[in-house]
Amino acid sequence: MFSSIRGFLSRHRRKFIFGSVVVSSIIFLTRYTQRKLLEWQENEIKMLMERTKKRQYYESTERTCNQMISSLAVTLRNSVVKENDTEAILNQLREGTADKISSWNQLKVLAITRSAVIIYSYTMLVTFLRIQLNLISGHMYKSVQNVNNGTIGNEVQARYMALSSYFIYEGIKELSSFIKNKVTEITTSLSLTERLTLRDLEQIYWAITSSISADGAKDPVKNFTYYTLQQDIEKSDTSTYSKLRDQVLDVSESEEVQDLMQKNIRSGFVMLIDHISTYFSESPKIDAQNRMLLSREGSSVKNSILTDLREEASGFVDVNKTTMALAKIIPIINGQVPDNPMPNDIAADWLQYLILNSDLKTLGANLYEAVS
């Protein structure tokens, strides 16, 4: 019996060896595949958790950014109103204590300047904060994940986040002065009795933006960081704060950011003209403030405004053909950015547009992703 078994094994030895090799290989490959599959599953779960955590961190950054924009915009608006104060001139006109023609010309410049500065300054503020917050959030996310060796301390964070205060309190003065000079150049030849269509008014604003863009030394788009960043860092400074600030500087001066700002500024002036157009399409009304101004105004300006009232008293008004005396348009422009914020004024609507702007959100998301 044993001899027959030995004979069987001897005759089929190669088959047994080959079979053992095959079975062992199958077992090895099965276990190897299971192990690799388990590793792949673990990596996928880890990557999914990583993406989820990064997305949650980014969404938190977005909420913080929007809240910060809304909060700082209030302070920025106050700075714009303060730098382009029209209340003193209006009071003088009401009281009849000032040279009327001179005061109206001053009001013309300040009213147009105030509306233009709001468009430029809000665009600059929102763009700057998107860049600033998403850059530091990306670095902080890396620190939390221990991807890099260093961390950003509270003192550095506080100093970095305070960068925006320079523009709100100091840069806005430079911006207002620059735009006011451009407005004065463009509007000097405009008479208070000159009758303008909405298209004429639009061309005045486009002329102002063209003059601003042509000034390579002070154009707020080409010289974004001149207005938004204080020159307080030495080139030899290698601190964490300096590196973060340099990143903001590099991104802010990029062609992509400049093109995006220019596009948004154009959209802002389109929105402004759209707001003003409602006054060209409405049946003319004189509010209490305008009545008081008219009662103090000279006969030529007063008669021109009253002519508008008689001509536009009918029902339908074609805004493309309707004309108004410049003296009547000035209070309308001044009312676009009232001293006290009002719902749906141009500043509020423009800020909301910028907060929801998809291009600015994409810019922030790309910066966050690149850093983190």
Side-chain angles (χ1 to χ4, degrees):
M1 177 179 174
F2 289 106
S3 60
S4 61
I5 293 174
R6 282 196 300 270
F8 175 80
L9 293 174
S10 178
R11 288 193 303 273
H12 299 282
R13 183 179 59 181
R14 291 184 178 180
K15 293 180 181 180
F16 280 112
I17 294 174
F18 179 75
S20 300
V21 171
V22 170
V23 171
S24 299
S25 299
I26 291 173
I27 294 173
F28 173 77
L29 289 174
T30 300
R31 291 180 177 176
Y32 178 80
T33 302
Q34 289 175 338
R35 186 169 68 252
K36 287 298 180 182
L37 181 61
L38 184 60
E39 290 177 359
W40 178 81
Q41 290 175 335
E42 290 175 349
N43 287 333
E44 282 296 306
I45 293 173
K46 185 177 180 181
M47 290 175 64
L48 178 61
M49 292 178 65
E50 179 80 10
R51 287 195 297 268
T52 302
K53 190 182 297 183
K54 184 181 289 188
R55 184 174 64 251
Q56 290 174 343
Y57 205 89
Y58 171 74
E59 290 172 352
S60 175
T61 300
E62 275 291 291
R63 289 191 296 271
T64 302
C65 186
N66 291 340
Q67 291 170 358
M68 192 170 181
I69 288 171
S70 299
S71 176
L72 292 181
V74 175
T75 308
L76 178 61
R77 180 193 177 115
N78 292 337
S79 295
V80 173
V81 169
K82 180 180 178 181
E83 290 301 315
N84 303 279
D85 182 27
T86 59
E87 187 63 26
I89 296 176
L90 289 173
N91 288 334
Q92 290 175 2
L93 287 170
R94 293 188 189 104
E95 296 166 2
T97 59
D99 179 86
K100 293 182 175 60
I101 300 300
S102 176
S103 296
W104 271 90
N105 281 318
Q106 291 179 48
L107 183 62
K108 171 186 67 178
V109 171
L110 289 173
I112 296 175
T113 299
R114 182 189 286 198
S115 59
V117 171
I118 278 291
I119 301 299
Y120 273 93
S121 63
Y122 273 21
T123 303
M124 295 167 72
L125 176 69
V126 176
T127 303
F128 184 80
L129 289 177
R130 288 283 184 206
I131 294 171
Q132 184 188 29
L133 264 70
N134 281 284
L135 281 176
I136 194 170
S137 293
H139 283 294
M140 291 175 68
Y141 178 80
K142 285 172 61 177
S143 298
V144 170
Q145 300 304 310
N146 295 319
V147 175
N148 59 348
N149 295 324
T151 57
I152 301 176
N154 293 334
E155 184 179 347
V156 173
Q157 291 181 40
R159 189 181 177 192
Y160 175 79
M161 294 308 299
L163 284 173
S164 56
S165 63
Y166 174 78
F167 172 62
I168 294 174
Y169 295 106
E170 300 298 331
I172 195 64
K173 295 179 182 178
E174 290 274 352
L175 181 65
S176 293
S177 176
F178 170 64
I179 293 180
K180 183 179 179 181
N181 290 336
K182 295 299 180 182
V183 171
T184 302
E185 291 175 9
I186 300 298
T187 62
T188 297
S189 60
L190 293 175
S191 169
L192 294 172
T193 57
E194 186 170 346
R195 299 179 66 80
L196 303 175
T197 64
L198 186 65
R199 179 60 60 86
D200 294 332
L201 183 61
E202 185 178 23
Q203 291 304 314
I204 290 172
Y205 275 107
W206 291 138
I208 293 169
T209 58
S210 297
S211 180
I212 290 172
S213 298
D215 194 324
K218 288 195 173 182
D219 173 25
V221 174
K222 299 185 185 72
N223 303 276
F224 185 31
T225 56
Y226 171 78
Y227 296 96
T228 55
L229 289 176
Q230 185 176 9
Q231 309 302 315
D232 61 348
I233 297 295
E234 298 180 1
K235 293 183 178 180
S236 58
D237 190 349
T238 58
S239 64
T240 302
Y241 167 75
S242 177
K243 291 177 181 177
L244 287 171
R245 187 181 180 281
D246 287 344
Q247 284 189 337
V248 174
L249 187 68
D250 292 340
V251 175
S252 299
E253 292 179 341
S254 68
E255 186 175 345
E256 178 187 358
V257 170
Q258 291 185 8
D259 291 343
L260 180 56
M261 285 181 61
Q262 197 68 63
K263 175 184 174 183
N264 284 329
I265 287 169
R266 287 195 295 268
S267 298
F269 281 102
V270 170
M271 181 182 289
L272 174 62
I273 295 299
D274 196 44
H275 271 241
I276 296 174
S277 69
T278 59
Y279 294 86
F280 279 75
S281 60
E282 291 178 348
S283 295
K285 300 175 182 177
I286 302 181
D287 57 24
Q289 182 187 69
N290 286 341
R291 287 182 183 276
M292 188 172 294
L293 289 175
L294 280 173
S295 66
R296 302 290 185 180
E297 190 47 68
S299 60
S300 61
V301 176
K302 182 177 180 179
N303 290 337
S304 179
I305 295 177
L306 291 175
T307 299
D308 287 321
L309 297 180
R310 289 193 294 270
E311 290 180 352
E312 298 170 13
S314 57
F316 174 75
V317 178
D318 185 348
V319 295
N320 295 317
K321 296 181 180 179
T322 302
T323 62
M324 289 188 190
L326 179 58
K328 182 182 177 183
I329 298 175
I330 291 172
I332 294 174
I333 297 175
N334 189 53
Q336 297 306 301
V337 188
D339 290 350
N340 298 314
M342 297 176 61
N344 300 322
D345 63 25
I346 184 61
D349 285 355
W350 181 231
L351 181 65
Q352 189 66 17
Y353 173 89
L354 291 170
I355 289 176
L356 299 177
N357 186 271
S358 58
D359 292 334
L360 285 170
K361 287 186 175 183
T362 300
L363 171 67
N366 290 341
L367 290 173
Y368 173 82
E369 183 66 26
V371 174
S372 63

